[in-house]
Amino acid sequence: MPVPGDDDNERLTPTIPPPPMIESASGARTRRVIAVGGGRGGVGKTLLTVNLGVYFAQLGREVVVCDTDPFGSNLHGVLGLETPPLVTSEALEEGKAKPVSTIVPGLRLLPTAYDPMTATPIRPNRGSHWARQIEKLDVDYVLLNLGASTTASTLDLFLQADVGICVTAPEPLAIETTYRFCRALYLRVLRRALTKERFKLRLVERVIAALPPLAPPPAIVAEIKRYDDGVAKVAAEEMLSVAAHLVVGQTRLRSDLDLGMSMHVIAERFLGISLDYLGHIEHDDAVWLTVRRRQPLLIDSPTSKSARNIERVARRILALLAAQSTRGGALPARAPVAQRAGALPATLYEVLGVPRTGADDEIRRAVKRQREIFREGSLPLCSVVAPEVLQKVQARIEEAHDTLLDPVRRRAYDLSTFPDDTPATVVPQRSSNAAQVAELAMLQAELAREINAETQFTGALLRKVRESQGIEITEIAQRTKINVAHLNAIENESFGDLPALVYVQGFVQQVAKFLKLDPAQVAKTYTRRLRDISLGRARGSG
């Protein structure tokens, strides 16, 4: 067994357990469906689908993965199968296609249909084809690899899933494709809502045809309102019902790590669609090496950075599913369309996304963040924000900077904008990230059970406490003046990268204070662990 601390990349035990299994009245398990799509080819949809399946299977659950776009059927290539499992369309329709086992216990692959006369896959024309197959599976999780398709059946499967994930990459074409997929989701939802009302649907079709290509949903709603308020109300309500989640793959630069939250802001403000950020997957040589070995990343290279990234995404998905079970499947409340339909934010505080009580430092950070998102050539803006709108947004950001950082101008602005309110009671709407909120809530509930007077603190537990509070390690470094490398070494238990024990003890005490833990207990138990491991190594080398 490896000694903790031997490897900076030592794999962490999953910190969030799977949601409890729910049984229906018939005794069958309630399956949870996760759909992965929404981006162009090559951004990492197959990588994510397979390794989410591996992660859930390693938690002891029964998992099935399947390619719903047979022309892009490639899941078998990283699951230890030489050829894809194929069946005739007749066998698939008759329910004779059974999931086949893979190299991962508990993880199976659903066969896809093919034409025996041409030996080529058959693309199903209707989503109900796959929906019927999924309904017959008595498993805990079903993961659908939708590919890059935007057909009606693909969109239906995405919308019917418990969690629908768009995968993109930090490049213009991938981002543009993701926004187009979100727009296609909205149009599909709107069409389904008006299917039985032929004349209303024709009105919508005429309105969309008259608009510029790829018009955003808020513009569609506004144009429909010119002709029929009732149909516009339906269109606006359906816009609120579209919710997707986002994973950014192939991140290389530090700026790439901010792309997901920036796209969340842009989609919410200019597309009127919730694009909830789940996390990123780093560009890593381990990924293509494992593909060449025909192995899942979490099996072949579980300690790699990209594997840890995927595990973090998986934990957030589990937290979302647990939250859905608690709410009975209800979606979290979203801001009214009037506040989100592509219009510029009403107040300068909303422009920056800060409360009226925000201090100068918070405002400066918000200005810097907004300037980066809305600068010329910014990746998150691809194909969404017109140049004339961008200029208006930039002007509002500068107005917010000049006004809110000048005490006299800020007071005058507050009095004129909020004459009847006090700063303490008025807080602007801020973009929320449901996945992060759900993850934090679950981590905090776990920690409430784990931490007591007898708790032995480890690096992994300190990391878990930090993550449960939504704190980045750089924040601790700025406040405590402890080097980021030393803080990472403390959490990873990379004791060879730490200074003398007396300094480590002081570092751990400062970290504990920042995290509102008992400094004495944390320092005592952590340094005892450090001594024990160091002593064990000394004896081993002797």
Side-chain angles (χ1 to χ4, degrees), residues 330-354:
L331 291 171
R334 294 175 61 194
V337 174
Q339 298 179 18
R340 304 170 42 257
L344 296 180
T347 72
L348 297 181
Y349 293 100
E350 291 176 345
V351 169
L352 302 182
V354 298

Side-chain angles (χ1 to χ4, degrees), residues 468-525:
S468 74
Q469 298 178 20
I471 296 172
E472 296 295 332
I473 208 163
T474 52
E475 296 180 49
I476 302 178
Q478 291 172 357
R479 184 71 63 86
T480 63
K481 308 304 180 185
I482 301 173
N483 189 287
V484 171
H486 287 158
L487 293 173
N488 279 319
I490 288 171
E491 288 190 351
N492 295 331
E493 297 188 355
S494 304
F495 299 141
D497 297 331
L498 289 171
L501 183 61
V502 64
Y503 295 108
V504 176
Q505 186 173 10
F507 291 167
V508 172
Q509 286 179 335
Q510 291 186 64
V511 171
K513 289 178 182 178
F514 189 91
L515 299 177
K516 298 179 175 60
L517 300 170
D518 181 353
Q521 180 187 6
V522 174
K524 179 181 178 181
T525 57

Side-chain angles (χ1 to χ4, degrees), residues 182-458:
C182 291
R183 179 183 179 275
L185 286 175
Y186 170 69
L187 295 178
R188 182 60 181 168
V189 167
L190 183 56
R191 175 176 289 276
R192 287 168 54 180
L194 299 174
T195 297
K196 297 181 180 179
E197 302 183 72
R198 183 176 55 185
F199 296 106
K200 292 181 179 180
L201 181 58
R202 286 182 178 175
L203 168 64
V204 171
E205 290 173 344
R206 288 198 301 269
V207 166
I208 294 174
L211 287 170
L214 304 177
I220 294 173
V221 174
E223 188 67 14
I224 293 173
K225 188 174 177 62
R226 293 179 55 196
Y227 300 94
D228 191 312
D229 286 342
V231 179
K233 183 179 179 180
V234 172
E237 290 173 348
E238 293 305 322
M239 185 165 61
L240 286 176
S241 71
V242 179
H245 301 83
L246 179 68
V247 171
V248 180
Q250 303 177 14
T251 59
R252 293 175 173 84
L253 307 176
R254 184 175 182 84
S255 59
D256 294 345
L257 304 183
D258 298 325
L259 176 61
M261 284 306 300
S262 298
M263 290 181 65
H264 167 76
V265 171
I266 297 298
E268 187 86 1
R269 185 180 299 182
F270 295 97
L271 296 180
I273 291 173
S274 174
L275 192 57
D276 193 34
Y277 181 49
L278 287 175
H280 69 279
I281 303 173
E282 296 181 55
H283 178 76
D284 193 341
D285 286 344
V287 173
W288 69 267
L289 284 172
T290 56
V291 171
R292 292 186 65 172
R293 296 176 185 134
R294 306 175 70 86
Q295 296 279 318
L297 180 68
L298 293 187
I299 299 295
D300 190 66
S301 187
T303 61
S304 63
K305 292 180 180 180
S306 50
R308 284 190 172 184
N309 298 152
I310 292 174
E311 289 182 344
R312 181 67 181 272
V313 171
R315 294 198 301 269
R316 287 184 171 174
I317 292 172
L318 291 178
L320 278 174
L321 292 171
Q324 286 179 7
S325 298
T326 302
R327 294 192 303 264
L331 291 171
R334 294 175 61 194
V337 174
Q339 298 179 18
R340 304 170 42 257
L344 296 180
T347 72
L348 297 181
Y349 293 100
E350 291 176 345
V351 169
L352 302 182
V354 298
R356 285 180 56 194
T357 54
D360 286 356
D361 286 347
E362 184 177 3
I363 291 172
R364 289 191 183 93
R365 288 195 297 269
V367 168
K368 181 179 179 181
R369 182 169 58 249
Q370 295 298 317
R371 282 173 175 168
E372 181 60 26
I373 293 175
F374 292 100
R375 64 177 173 80
E376 295 284 348
S378 173
L379 278 177
L381 302 179
C382 288
S383 75
V384 174
V385 183
E388 60 273 14
V389 176
L390 178 59
Q391 291 177 2
K392 293 178 181 179
V393 174
Q394 292 171 339
R396 287 282 280 171
I397 294 171
E398 296 310 313
E399 181 186 358
H401 171 270
D402 296 341
T403 301
L404 301 184
L405 289 176
D406 184 320
V408 176
R409 293 179 63 181
R410 180 175 180 176
R411 178 169 174 75
Y413 174 79
D414 287 348
L415 290 174
S416 62
T417 308
F418 314 103
D420 301 322
D421 298 323
T422 60
T425 59
V426 178
V427 179
Q429 293 270 350
R430 300 183 69 181
S431 296
S432 60
N433 191 325
Q436 292 182 5
V437 170
E439 181 192 30
L440 296 184
M442 184 166 283
L443 283 173
Q444 290 163 5
E446 285 187 12
L447 289 168
R449 297 189 298 267
E450 291 181 22
I451 296 180
N452 53 57
E454 305 300 323
T455 299
Q456 305 294 309
F457 282 87
T458 64

